Structures are given as C-alpha cells and as structure tokens.
Amino acid sequence: MNRRKNRPARGAMHHTPGAFQQGMTLIELLVAMVVSLVVVMAAVAALTVARRGFTTVDAASQIRDNGRFVQDLINRLGVQVGFQDVRYVTLPISNEATVDQDPPSGVFGFNNATSSDSDPFNTGVARTTSDGSDILILRYQAVETFPGSGVTDKSMINCDGSVVSAVPANRADRSVSVIYLSTSSAGGSSLMCSRGPNTGQPIVGGVESFQVLYGVDGVTAGTAPTAGAADPVRPDSYLRADQLTVTGNDVATRANWRRVRSIRIGLVLQGPPNSAQVAESTTDYYPFGKAKTASGADGSGMASANDVGTVYRAPNDGRLRQTLSFTVHLRNFQPTFDERGKSTL
C-alpha cells in the first residue's frame, strides 16, 4: 500500500477559517484616532473649566477676606474717633490757653484725592484717574495708664494695626491715621495707611476703589451750620468731603466736620488676573449700590451719580470683582466749645 498518496503535496497549505488575524483598515484607524481626540479634548476642556472654577472660588474667598479685614479695621478705628483721655475732657479749654481753641475734628477727609507724602494730615492731591477714590483721616487720643506715668494703656491702635504708644501732651494732641488708595503702574492697587509724612504703607491689596460719604446732622452742603443743639447720634443726610467745606470760612468748615455722626464706606475689590469665571466686557460697579446712585448726595440720597467713583467702570482684564459697603457709627460726640468750655452746638 502506498501511503504517500494520503499525504499533502510538499509546499501545499491547508487553509482553515479563522486561521489568520486580520488588522484594522486605514479608515478604521482614522476613525479611532478622531474619537480618541474628541475624548481627550473633552477631558481637557472639563479640566480647564474645573480649574478655572477653583481659581474663581479661591479668588472670591480672598476678596471676602480682604473686605472683612478692611471692615473690621475701619470699624475698630471708628470706635476710637474723637476719643479724649478723661483728664482732658473734664477740664475746660480755658485752663489751657496755649492750646488751639478750635482743634481739628476727629474725622476729616478729601474727595477724589490721594494722600500727600509731605503733609498727609491736611492735604490731598487731586486724582486724575477714573477710580475717584477718597481719603479718610481719623484722629483720636491714647489713654495714659495714670496721670504722669508716661505710658499708654495700649487700648488704641493705628491704621497699620500697631498700638498707639505716644502719650498725649495736651488736649489737642492726637494720634492720626490716614487711609487712602494707591494705584501702581503695574495695575495693582492697595489700601494704604499713613501715620505721618512719607510713612505710607499698604494694609491690604486688591482694593480698586475706596469711596467715603459722611453722615451729618444739621449740615447743608457748602454752608455754615446754624447754632443750636445737634443730634449727637443720628445723621439726617450723607455728604461728600468737599460738600462739608465752607469756602473762605475755616471755622464753619471745622464746625461742619464736627457734625459727622457716621461714615459710609464703599469699596470695589478685585481678584488676580483671569480669576473671573467668564470674561466680561467693560462693566460698571456701584460701591454704594445702583439704587442709591441716581439721587444727589445733598441730603436727598446716599450717593451722587456725578461723584467720580460712585460709578466705577472696570476694565476688561478678566479679574473677578465684588463691591462692599458698610456704615460705621461714631461713638464719641464732637462738640465745639466757646472760651468758657461750654458746648456751642
């Protein structure tokens, strides 16, 4: 029997279904690459949105912290405004003939100005920028632990947070804190504290507009106050700093400032660049609220549309911004006195 007949011929191949693996075609490969690219792009977009969201949340938290710090600081300083040590309050002015009989009031300020390095207590430099920020000047007296000790009780602070250590030399001697806004050429801005010539230093960053209105009682803009008792607590209108000035009459101007019963602060606070969730075009912000901007600041309303800075137009720079407003009621009544030490208001 010839067994070679049952063998396949040499070199012959036996084909069985499924014996070979088939690869992807070019079209299938291209489709897979496109699908993968879409998935990667979607993942990157989701990551970018999530990261921007985290950035916005962090910026919003920082803005709130900055606003809370400013509010706490000015509230603390407001409690001190106009305070005098008891030994000076109880003595009539006539006992100190060499002391100014008409000293500056506990609160003072300038509208649409920045602080003067050489004379921050009495001078403001008019602003040329659109933020229209103001200057707030606060005066108060430290408390000596006991007469003649030469040491304060450290209950008073300055605008930079340091303790007032200087003992008042006389009735008119005051510690002074000047709060104003400084804007750098790089686009950053900081709320500043000055305690004397060339002493300005930042106390908090990210403040873009600083607006101040003064709650007064019995004051008409640009006019000397009438004689008679004034309400030591409740204001009847809010005015700008320049509206308390009586042209050519320093005595009347000081009398107007002594009728300030509260301070209203309006702020625009900013986050870092690209911290906004959605980039917006140029936007208007209202430090005192939009509803309180239409009326004038002459007693008929809280703010004035013609006051530079009451409506703040922010640039389109991708920064997150928020407004903050609050009112500080002054605790220390600031009367004026005649030569016998009796209040004239």
Side-chain angles (χ1 to χ4, degrees):
M1 182 176 179
N2 189 359
R3 297 180 179 176
R4 295 178 61 86
K5 294 182 179 180
N6 295 328
R7 295 178 182 176
R10 180 173 297 179
M13 298 181 66
H14 183 69
H15 295 279
T16 304
F20 297 100
Q21 292 183 346
Q22 297 182 354
M24 296 177 64
T25 65
L26 180 60
I27 295 177
E28 292 173 332
L29 182 60
L30 291 175
V31 170
M33 290 177 62
V34 170
V35 172
S36 300
L37 183 61
V38 170
V39 172
V40 171
M41 291 177 63
V44 171
L47 180 62
T48 302
V49 171
R51 183 175 181 180
R52 189 152 197 170
F54 289 137
T55 301
T56 301
V57 170
D58 289 342
S61 178
Q62 184 62 57
I63 288 174
R64 286 193 296 270
D65 287 344
N66 288 346
R68 187 160 44 244
F69 176 81
V70 173
Q71 184 171 357
D72 289 346
L73 176 64
I74 296 180
N75 270 318
R76 172 70 184 275
L77 294 172
V79 170
Q80 303 174 172
V81 167
F83 181 82
Q84 285 183 278
D85 198 347
V86 64
R87 66 175 175 144
Y88 293 121
V89 175
T90 55
L91 294 176
I93 287 181
S94 56
N95 285 19
E96 300 183 56
T98 60
V99 176
D100 185 1
Q101 302 299 302
D102 186 25
S105 62
V107 59
F108 188 61
F110 295 95
N111 187 66
N112 190 25
T114 187
S115 183
S116 166
D117 288 336
S118 60
D119 187 18
F121 298 164
N122 305 291
T123 306
V125 180
R127 288 184 179 272
T128 58
T129 56
S130 60
D131 64 88
S133 293
D134 303 330
I135 301 174
L136 177 62
I137 302 174
L138 306 174
R139 295 183 173 92
Y140 39 87
Q141 200 169 70
V143 179
E144 194 172 10
T145 52
F146 59 87
S149 68
V151 179
T152 66
D153 66 358
K154 297 181 172 53
S155 61
M156 298 292 189
I157 65 168
N158 297 301
C159 55
D160 59 4
S162 63
V163 173
V164 178
S165 57
V167 174
N170 52 54
R171 177 191 298 275
D173 190 15
R174 301 284 194 278
S175 294
V176 186
S177 287
V178 182
I179 302 174
Y180 63 100
L181 192 71
S182 175
T183 304
S184 70
S185 58
S189 58
S190 298
L191 198 64
M192 306 288 289
C193 165
S194 177
R195 296 169 49 199
N198 302 302
T199 60
Q201 58 180 307
I203 50 178
V204 64
V207 180
E208 201 165 22
S209 180
F210 177 63
Q211 301 294 315
V212 186
L213 291 175
Y214 302 89
V216 294
D217 181 73
V219 176
T220 301
T223 305
T226 57
D231 191 326
V233 177
R234 185 179 58 190
D236 56 24
S237 63
Y238 281 81
L239 302 177
R240 303 188 307 267
D242 57 305
Q243 293 177 310
L244 296 178
T245 301
V246 182
T247 304
N249 191 337
D250 292 340
V251 174
T253 297
R254 290 190 177 192
N256 278 343
W257 279 105
R258 289 192 182 90
R259 294 201 176 208
V260 174
R261 302 293 176 250
S262 63
I263 307 168
R264 172 148 290 191
I265 306 295
L267 302 168
V268 177
L269 301 111
Q270 63 175 204
N274 302 315
S275 56
Q277 184 71 22
V278 179
E280 298 179 350
S281 58
T282 303
T283 306
D284 289 340
Y285 290 86
Y286 303 87
F288 294 117
K290 189 172 183 179
K292 296 179 180 178
T293 302
S295 57
D298 55 359
S300 59
M302 289 292 188
S304 173
N306 61 6
D307 180 17
V308 178
T310 301
V311 181
Y312 176 72
R313 177 155 292 183
N316 180 18
D317 56 5
R319 293 177 183 266
L320 180 67
R321 290 178 171 84
Q322 293 181 6
T323 59
L324 171 67
S325 64
F326 58 93
T327 301
V328 180
H329 292 279
L330 307 184
R331 297 175 56 181
N332 301 302
F333 183 38
Q334 305 174 74
T336 58
F337 296 88
D338 60 17
E339 66 280 359
R340 295 184 303 278
K342 292 182 62 178
S343 172
T344 60
L345 291 182

